[in-house]
């Protein structure tokens, strides 16, 4: 009897300790899950102001304790794909108005970010399907969804970027001068770079230093000029089509393209959903991205 | 045996770069990394210097000849090109040149092409630091290389 008791007591103690350890380990998980769930479901929300297809729409993201850090909006398509539609870095804001591109198969938008206390939240909103129906006066317009995008090599020439002649002319001039410089040096005082080193050139150290300084200054000046002239700006080029729509070439691989560039178009169908970011002065702009085409209907954006 | 930069070598540095600039589209469909866009012309100049067995002066002049092409490529093909990117590119070229001069003075630097390998590696390291940690970090690494090379250069033989 005593032997049995002695065996049971350590076993009970071990079981009790294991249960306590498991309970302690589970507390943070449960607490964290509750915190995120409460923050996501009750504290934050995203409210689309409109949901026009083939257009940029706005939504308001708000949280009871404000917003901070990175704010991201994703779109969930009917195909199950998830697209990043908006991204911004916030210092702190009570609410944020986000701009996102909508297309017919976009079913819901989801926002993720940090609230004012730095806690993560997630909120989603289903888009009203009523906004995706034909609008008054749209019967005569071409159906953007049926238009096909030409392959990259067969895009109209009007969509290609113009070649900027000035930087190329500058580089050609530089190449000519650089190639001929050794000839001038040879004609003057032997091979390039020998001045101020030895022999009779040792007495010409002063002029050689001046020539070196001049050459370095010229190199820096040409490099700065080539950099300034070569700067590629984001570009939106258009080619009218027989269908009545316009094919756009959206070229902004280096810099954001302001959304105001699309002000003259009522509907836009991009090859792939574009990412909108807060550009200069906080105004929405397309994030730098590889070239893509878009079909557009000229006119004022409809409400 | 190292050589100075002649007409043929100078044309070999800038000629292909000019042809590439004329052949490439004015704006690319996709952006290239800053170190690639700006660094390729410098890499070409370094390769020509190696192939022609140029001396330190030749390497410095070749890099100077390629620098405007690197600046243009940086502005045309790198994402969000900025002046710090250009500063980092130029400082990498300066670091390569100064370290080449310092090694040329050193008795243990080796001869011929081997003498250029270390400066070229130093220049590539500066470009890599610029790509990985930002242009100012790359410029800082280049400055460090220049200072260390200058100290070695100033040390009496």
């Amino acid at each position: 009897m005593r032997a049995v008791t002695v065996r049971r007591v350590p076993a009970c103690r071990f079981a009790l300790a294991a249960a306590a350890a498991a309970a302690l380990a589970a507390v943070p998980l449960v607490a964290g899950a509750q915190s995120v769930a409460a923050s996501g479901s009750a504290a934050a929300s995203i409210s689309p102001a409109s949901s026009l297809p083939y257009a940029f729409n706005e939504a308001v993201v708000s949280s009871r304790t404000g917003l901070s850090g990175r704010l991201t909006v994703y779109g969930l398509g009917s195909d199950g794909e998830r697209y990043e539609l908006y991204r911004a870095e916030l210092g702190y804001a009570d609410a944020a108005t986000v701009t996102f591109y909508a297309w017919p198969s976009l079913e819901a938008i989801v926002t993720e970010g940090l609230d004012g206390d730095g806690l993560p939240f997630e909120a989603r909103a289903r888009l009203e399907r009523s906004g995706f129906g034909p609008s008054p006066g749209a019967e005569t317009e071409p159906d953007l969804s049926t238009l096909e995008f030409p392959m990259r090599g067969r895009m109209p020439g009007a969509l290609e970027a113009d070649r900027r002649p000035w930087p190329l002319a500058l580089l050609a001039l530089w190449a000519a001068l650089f190639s001929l410089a050794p000839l001038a040096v040879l004609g003057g005082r032997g091979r390039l770079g020998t001045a101020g080193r030895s022999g009779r050139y040792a007495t010409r150290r002063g002029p050689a230093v001046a020539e070196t300084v001049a050459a370095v200054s010229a190199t820096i000046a040409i490099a700065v000029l080539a950099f300034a002239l070569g700067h590629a700006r984001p570009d939106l080029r258009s080619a009218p089509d027989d269908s009545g729509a316009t094919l756009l070439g959206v070229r902004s691989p280096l810099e954001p393209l302001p959304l105001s560039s699309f002000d003259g178009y009522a509907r836009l169908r991009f090859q792939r959903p574009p990412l909108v970011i807060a550009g200069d002065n906080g105004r929405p702009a397309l994030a730098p991205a590889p070239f893509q085409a878009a079909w557009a209907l000229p006119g004022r954006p409809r409400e | 045996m190292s050589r100075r930069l002649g007409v043929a070598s100078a044309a070999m540095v800038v000629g292909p770069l000019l042809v590439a600039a004329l052949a490439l589209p004015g704006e690319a469909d996709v952006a290239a990394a800053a170190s690639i866009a700006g660094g390729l012309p410098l890499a070409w100049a370094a390769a020509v210097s190696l192939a022609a067995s140029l001396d330190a002066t030749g390497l410095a002049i070749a890099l100077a000849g390629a620098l405007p092409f690197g600046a243009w490529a940086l502005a045309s093909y790198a994402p969000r090109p900025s002046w710090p990117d250009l500063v980092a590119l130029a400082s990498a070229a300066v670091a390569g040149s100064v370290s080449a001069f310092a090694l040329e003075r050193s008795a243990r630097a080796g001869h011929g092409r081997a003498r250029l390998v270390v400066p070229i590696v130093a220049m590539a390291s500066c470009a890599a630091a610029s790509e990985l940690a930002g242009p100012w970090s790359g410029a800082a690494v280049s400055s460090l290389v220049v200072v260390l090379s200058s100290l070695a250069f100033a040390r009496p033989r």
Side-chain angles (χ1 to χ4, degrees):
Chain A
M1 179 70 182
R2 190 179 174 191
V4 171
T5 307
V6 168
R7 276 184 201 151
R8 273 184 186 168
V9 168
C12 289
R13 281 180 182 167
F14 177 76
L16 194 63
L24 282 173
V27 163
L29 293 176
V30 173
Q34 284 175 341
S35 158
V36 171
S39 171
S41 60
S45 67
I46 179 167
S47 308
S50 60
S51 54
L52 284 172
Y54 294 143
F56 290 101
N57 296 269
E58 289 188 344
V60 176
V61 178
S62 60
S63 166
R64 204 161 44 201
T65 57
L67 307 169
S68 63
R70 171 168 287 195
L71 180 69
T72 314
V73 175
Y74 297 95
L76 301 177
S78 59
D79 53 358
E81 287 291 319
R82 180 180 163 107
Y83 303 91
E84 187 179 13
L85 299 180
Y86 181 85
R87 189 197 307 153
E89 293 289 340
L90 305 172
Y92 175 84
D94 293 329
T97 301
V98 303
T99 304
F100 65 96
Y101 175 74
W103 63 100
S105 62
L106 178 65
E107 291 193 331
I109 51 174
V110 180
T111 181
E112 293 178 0
L114 301 173
D115 66 11
D117 295 329
L119 294 172
F121 69 78
E122 181 183 307
R124 75 171 54 200
R126 290 194 69 80
L127 296 181
E128 295 291 335
R129 306 296 291 182
S130 59
F132 289 85
S135 56
E139 293 80 7
T140 58
E141 293 174 349
D143 186 359
L144 289 184
S145 61
T146 61
L147 296 174
E148 292 188 356
F149 289 102
M151 292 180 67
R152 181 68 187 92
R154 298 190 176 187
M155 293 276 181
L159 298 191
E160 299 305 326
D162 291 330
R163 290 187 68 81
R164 287 157 294 152
W166 290 114
L168 296 177
L170 179 74
L171 292 177
L173 179 67
W174 170 253
L177 289 176
F178 185 81
S179 299
L180 296 176
L183 277 181
V185 173
L186 280 171
R189 53 177 167 73
R191 307 296 298 268
L192 187 67
T194 56
R197 282 177 168 263
S198 62
R200 66 191 177 96
Y201 302 120
T203 58
R204 297 187 68 243
R205 194 173 191 87
V209 170
E211 286 171 11
T212 304
V213 170
V216 170
S217 304
T219 304
I220 292 173
I222 296 290
V224 167
L225 204 54
F227 183 81
L229 291 174
H231 205 81
R233 303 285 176 199
D235 196 12
L236 183 67
R237 302 182 72 81
S238 60
D241 188 69
D242 295 338
S243 63
T246 300
L247 188 60
L248 301 179
V250 185
R251 184 183 292 281
S252 60
L254 312 184
E255 301 273 357
L257 179 67
L259 287 196
S260 56
S261 307
F262 299 97
D263 278 351
Y265 301 103
R267 288 282 192 272
L268 292 155
R269 181 184 159 221
F270 288 89
Q271 275 181 304
R272 48 186 184 278
L275 170 64
V276 179
I277 59 172
D280 295 337
N281 303 321
R283 294 182 178 174
L286 290 192
F291 174 91
Q292 75 160 318
W295 282 108
L297 291 180
R300 291 183 57 197
R302 287 189 292 270
E303 296 300 325
Chain B
M1 181 67 187
S2 59
R3 296 187 298 156
R4 301 189 193 286
L5 189 78
V7 177
S9 301
M12 196 59 203
V13 169
V14 293
L17 293 178
L18 180 63
V19 170
L22 293 172
L24 284 171
E27 292 164 19
D29 279 6
V30 293
S35 61
I36 301 294
L40 271 180
L42 297 187
W44 171 252
V48 171
S49 304
L50 266 179
S53 296
L54 297 180
D55 61 359
T57 309
L59 175 68
I61 294 173
L63 292 176
L67 188 60
F69 290 92
W72 169 78
L74 193 65
S76 298
Y77 302 112
R80 297 209 171 193
S82 60
W83 292 105
D85 290 322
L86 182 60
V87 170
L89 184 73
S91 59
V94 170
S97 303
V98 174
S99 56
F101 280 118
L103 278 172
E104 196 172 68
R105 253 178 94 95
S106 168
R108 292 175 293 175
H111 298 283
R113 292 172 184 171
R115 191 176 278 183
L116 293 183
V117 171
V118 172
I120 290 171
V121 169
M123 191 173 65
S125 305
C126 297
S130 176
E131 183 63 33
L132 294 174
W136 290 123
S137 302
V141 173
S142 301
S143 304
L144 186 66
V145 171
V146 168
V147 168
L148 292 177
S149 302
S150 301
L151 287 174
F153 193 78
R155 196 171 59 189
R157 287 197 233 182

